[in-house]
Amino acid sequence: MHNRRGFERDGAAPYVFLAPLLVLLAAFMIYPVVMNIITSFTEWKGYGPWKWIWLANYKTMIADEEFWTSIKNTALMVLYIPLSTIVTLLITAFLREGIRGWKVYRAILYIPNLLGYVLMGVIFSIYLRDDGVLNMAIKRLTGSTIHFLITPVLAINAVGFLLVVFLHLGFGLIYFLAAMNGIDKSIYEAALIDGAGFWRTLFKVSIPSIRFSVEFWVVFSFIEVFARMFSFIHTLTQGGPGYSTFTLEYGIFIQAFSKFKVGYSSAWSVVLFLFCAMISIAQIRLMKRRDE
Amino acid sequence: MKKVSPFSPTARILVQIVMIILVVASLLPLYNVISASLKSIDEYPTNPVLLPKAPIFDNYKYAAFAGHLIRFTVNSLIYVPVGVALYVVICLMAGYAFGKMRFAFRRSIFLLVLFMSIFPQLLLATQVSKLISLMHLTNTGLGVILSWVAYFSPFGTYIMTTYFADMPYELVEAARIDGASQVRILVSIMAPLALPMIATIAIIGFQSMWNELPFSMLILQQESLRTVTLGIAVLRGEYGLRVPILSAALVIAMIVPLLIFLLFQRYITLGVTAGAMKG
């Protein structure tokens, strides 16, 4: 949006062009968010009349162990973001060196992104079962079984590793490869002449040159963690065992659609909304910085 | 790709080994599902790992018909293209307005749209399903399509906006001097120039809608209307459903996404770089 030429306006035309979008957003985004804030002060089953209870939902929430588990789990997902960033950058750097078969590797690692969270969630729910291929192999090697989806601490870490690191790898490879291909080739040649090895080239040339892409990647990962995890959790663990794989998003779903405490779930939604607002501010600041 | 490289021959071999391990590890879950889908319900518990002794296709027959996977796929193939068409038109118009037109509050409205592009669906789900039911669109394709188009448009609009904003303004200026209306400029000059990006957002929209779960789950409660993604999610929750049958259903559900990949790989690659906020 750099084309600020004079002050002459285009009259009504822009609003006509924007009308379909803005009508849809008003109905399906702004209205729901405003209603969420209002219903967070009520006791409401999702139908029928509601009762104003003001801050009671928030008080319940602060005392609710499920809520704090959700926050903790969401934070744990965030801790996987650095690992995901490093692993993705490292493998991108491998592929960038033009090792044989790099295109095939890139395509295969992209498959999870094609199949989407629902299919991948169900696929891993089969693969990680006690009688799945992975556990059969582990049993052959060690004689014991690892209950990935039954032991709470393993289940939540499986969700974190799979969603944040594994499922985004293929996407990140394409993204970072495109970014690294935009780097001036002569910089790499100069580094090579200086005798820089693989690691020095990666940390002194590649990563600094695509700094903005890396920062956008981190913002993107935050969005995924806070706002895009529902489908994967719902199909992999369904929040379980117990509520050990609840995230904020999943908690909202359970409160609203399985316990029918819609008013209470709205209080959780307001918390999630505040987190999203912070991510959005980070995103906008980053864009401003890049444009300068 | 490159002639010179900081890798020694030994390092090259090590990297190859790492990559092969990684790729094999990422294919194993798929192998698990595909091989299970070809085993009988009696064979799977005794032979979960190795290839089936004699592959059978009963699970596919069951998943396709009794499990309604064919019907669900057809449903998706109806809803999603209609949704994508609407989505493309809306994003194109809005992207052009934000990228190339001048009006009051342009930047504020644009930032609001950008903000909405990251909203979690669960934040909206209760009210969206209530709204759809108020419009008497529960259990209709139109209901789910509207919810998808509304939810995914901010992101598509964002991509179209950055694309149009980077186009030279002289194109618009010249057309306006010739007296062309804004609609004509968009339809006959800008849209044809933006075709690769339109194809890209169409693919992004297709994948997003195809894989969408929460809204379709709330809006399409009647079994015969389910999308393929919703159908799989419901099957997963069905108590006591055997792994071979669920696996066959999964394989059937993979067909369309994989076909899309084979046909439109170029636009998927473009979509990743455009979609990830062009760093």
Side-chain angles (χ1 to χ4, degrees):
Chain A
M1 308 189 47
H2 316 287
N3 299 292
R4 295 204 174 174
R5 299 209 173 177
F7 298 97
E8 175 205 344
R9 297 257 158 89
D10 282 313
Y15 300 104
V16 176
F17 279 31
L18 285 176
L21 177 73
L22 296 182
V23 168
L24 279 176
L25 297 187
F28 288 93
M29 297 235 174
I30 296 172
Y31 169 78
V33 168
V34 171
M35 284 300 285
N36 246 325
I37 295 171
I38 295 172
T39 54
S40 75
F41 300 114
T42 69
E43 188 184 304
W44 186 43
K45 289 198 190 83
Y47 50 87
W50 63 47
K51 199 173 101 199
W52 292 98
I53 54 169
W54 304 109
L55 291 176
N57 283 328
Y58 290 92
K59 280 183 194 143
T60 316
M61 183 173 76
I62 287 171
D64 188 343
E65 202 191 329
E66 288 179 28
F67 173 72
W68 290 109
T69 307
S70 303
I71 296 274
K72 258 185 267 165
N73 286 342
T74 311
L76 181 67
M77 303 292 112
V78 169
L79 291 181
Y80 274 97
I81 295 177
L83 177 67
S84 146
T85 310
I86 291 166
V87 167
T88 311
L89 279 168
L90 183 63
I91 295 170
T92 309
F94 286 166
L95 297 191
R96 206 200 67 85
E97 295 303 335
I99 56 166
R100 190 167 299 172
W102 70 276
K103 277 190 172 166
V104 179
Y105 296 148
R106 190 184 62 174
I108 290 175
L109 293 171
Y110 192 72
I111 291 176
N113 300 267
L114 287 176
L115 299 183
Y117 290 150
V118 170
L119 292 192
M120 289 316 293
V122 181
I123 289 170
F124 274 103
S125 79
I126 293 173
Y127 183 61
L128 297 179
R129 281 163 62 118
D130 285 0
D131 62 357
V133 163
L134 184 58
N135 255 319
M136 286 299 154
I138 291 171
K139 203 170 181 184
R140 183 75 44 98
L141 291 173
T142 67
S144 55
T145 304
I146 301 176
H147 306 293
F148 291 105
L149 302 177
I150 299 167
T151 314
V153 64
L154 289 181
I156 186 63
N157 280 287
V159 169
F161 177 79
L162 290 175
L163 191 121
V164 183
V165 183
F166 176 70
L167 293 184
H168 290 139
L169 182 58
F171 179 88
L173 290 179
I174 294 180
Y175 180 52
F176 285 138
L177 268 175
M180 285 189 194
N181 282 337
I183 303 173
D184 190 351
K185 295 272 184 299
S186 61
I187 304 180
Y188 280 112
E189 276 153 25
L192 205 62
I193 291 166
D194 285 351
F198 171 76
W199 296 103
R200 245 185 68 198
T201 313
L202 176 61
F203 285 106
K204 298 280 178 208
V205 179
S206 299
I207 294 177
S209 310
I210 59 165
R211 209 184 81 225
F212 279 119
S213 298
V214 177
E215 288 179 38
F216 273 121
W217 167 264
V218 172
V219 171
F220 160 79
S221 302
F222 268 87
I223 297 171
E224 292 283 309
V225 163
F226 279 90
R228 308 278 185 268
M229 288 194 73
F230 168 79
S231 304
F232 189 64
I233 295 179
H234 188 59
T235 47
L236 181 62
T237 64
Q238 301 183 309
Y243 45 90
S244 60
T245 51
F246 272 33
T247 56
L248 268 177
E249 237 187 320
Y250 205 78
I252 293 170
F253 171 74
I254 294 292
Q255 302 300 344
F257 299 106
S258 120
K259 298 185 179 170
F260 299 104
K261 293 191 217 162
V262 173
Y264 181 49
S265 90
S266 302
W268 289 47
S269 297
V270 170
V271 175
L272 181 58
F273 178 77
L274 293 177
F275 276 116
C276 290
M278 286 194 282
I279 296 172
S280 193
I281 290 168
Q283 184 185 18
I284 289 166
R285 279 207 177 154
L286 182 55
M287 286 169 63
K288 268 197 188 139
R289 219 154 29 92
R290 182 199 60 199
D291 291 343
E292 269 159 18
Chain B
M1 194 166 152
K2 210 128 296 134
K3 347 85 231 169
V4 280
S5 141
F7 279 150
S8 66
T10 345
R12 250 168 205 273
I13 293 168
L14 280 175
V15 166
Q16 279 289 2
I17 292 172
V18 169
M19 287 312 297
I20 288 169
I21 291 174
L22 190 68
V23 164
V24 169
S26 75
L27 286 176
L28 271 179
L30 290 178
Y31 163 79
N32 193 162
V33 165
I34 294 168
S35 72
S37 74
L38 297 167
K39 290 170 191 170
S40 73
I41 287 170
D42 299 327
E43 185 187 352
Y44 183 73
T46 55
N47 174 26
V49 179
L50 302 175
L51 285 169
K53 280 168 214 137
I56 55 150
F57 292 93
D58 299 11
N59 302 318
Y60 284 93
K61 223 188 278 167
Y62 187 86
F65 299 105
H68 304 300
L69 254 287
I70 290 189
R71 163 172 275 184
F72 297 159
T73 305
V74 170
N75 287 344
S76 285
L77 284 173
I78 296 169
Y79 307 150
V80 175
V82 176
V84 170
L86 267 171
Y87 161 91
V88 165
V89 171
I90 288 173
C91 297
L92 181 66
M93 291 198 306
Y96 176 66
F98 283 128
K100 275 285 169 282
M101 293 171 117
R102 291 156 299 194
F103 52 96
F105 305 114
R106 185 186 64 171
R107 195 167 165 81
S108 329
I109 303 174
F110 178 72
L111 288 181
L112 187 68
V113 171
L114 184 66
F115 178 33
M116 287 194 251
S117 76
I118 73 167
F119 279 9
Q121 283 185 281
L122 268 295
L123 195 66
L124 314 165
T126 328
Q127 295 297 335
V128 164
S129 71
K130 281 206 81 77
L131 203 60
I132 292 289
S133 112
L134 275 176
M135 296 159 87
H136 301 287
L137 292 176
T138 309
N139 284 320
T140 64
L142 183 61
V144 83
I145 289 168
L146 271 183
S147 76
W148 286 345
V149 173
Y151 181 72
F152 294 116
S153 289
F155 189 58
T157 300
Y158 167 76
I159 295 176
M160 287 318 297
T161 302
T162 52
Y163 189 76
F164 280 127
D166 288 344
M167 271 190 178
Y169 198 78
E170 286 67 29
L171 286 169
V172 184
E173 209 90 284
R176 296 188 81 187
I177 291 165
D178 290 346
S181 70
Q182 290 284 9
V183 177
R184 277 228 19 207
I185 296 175
L186 177 58
V187 174
S188 50
I189 302 175
M190 300 310 265
L193 284 172
L195 266 185
M197 204 37 88
I198 291 174
T200 303
I201 66 160
I203 290 291
I204 293 177
F206 189 96
Q207 291 184 315
S208 314
M209 294 180 197
W210 190 273
N211 295 325
E212 195 277 336
L213 181 64
F215 289 170
S216 35
M217 190 160 80
L218 294 170
I219 295 169
L220 304 173
Q221 291 151 0
Q222 206 172 300
E223 188 186 23
S224 60
L225 297 170
R226 281 177 197 156
T227 63
V228 62
T229 301
L230 174 59
I232 290 290
V234 174
L235 275 183
R236 153 79 177 99
E238 228 151 77
Y239 186 75
L241 185 77
R242 304 305 180 88
V243 169
I245 290 170
L246 184 57
S247 299
L250 279 166
V251 176
I252 296 174
M254 287 176 202
I255 295 171
V256 174
L258 290 177
L259 273 180
I260 293 287
F261 180 61
L262 292 176
L263 292 173
F264 301 106
Q265 205 173 353
R266 192 167 96 80
Y267 295 109
I268 290 177
T269 315
L270 269 174
V272 169
T273 41
M277 304 172 285
K278 45 172 221 167

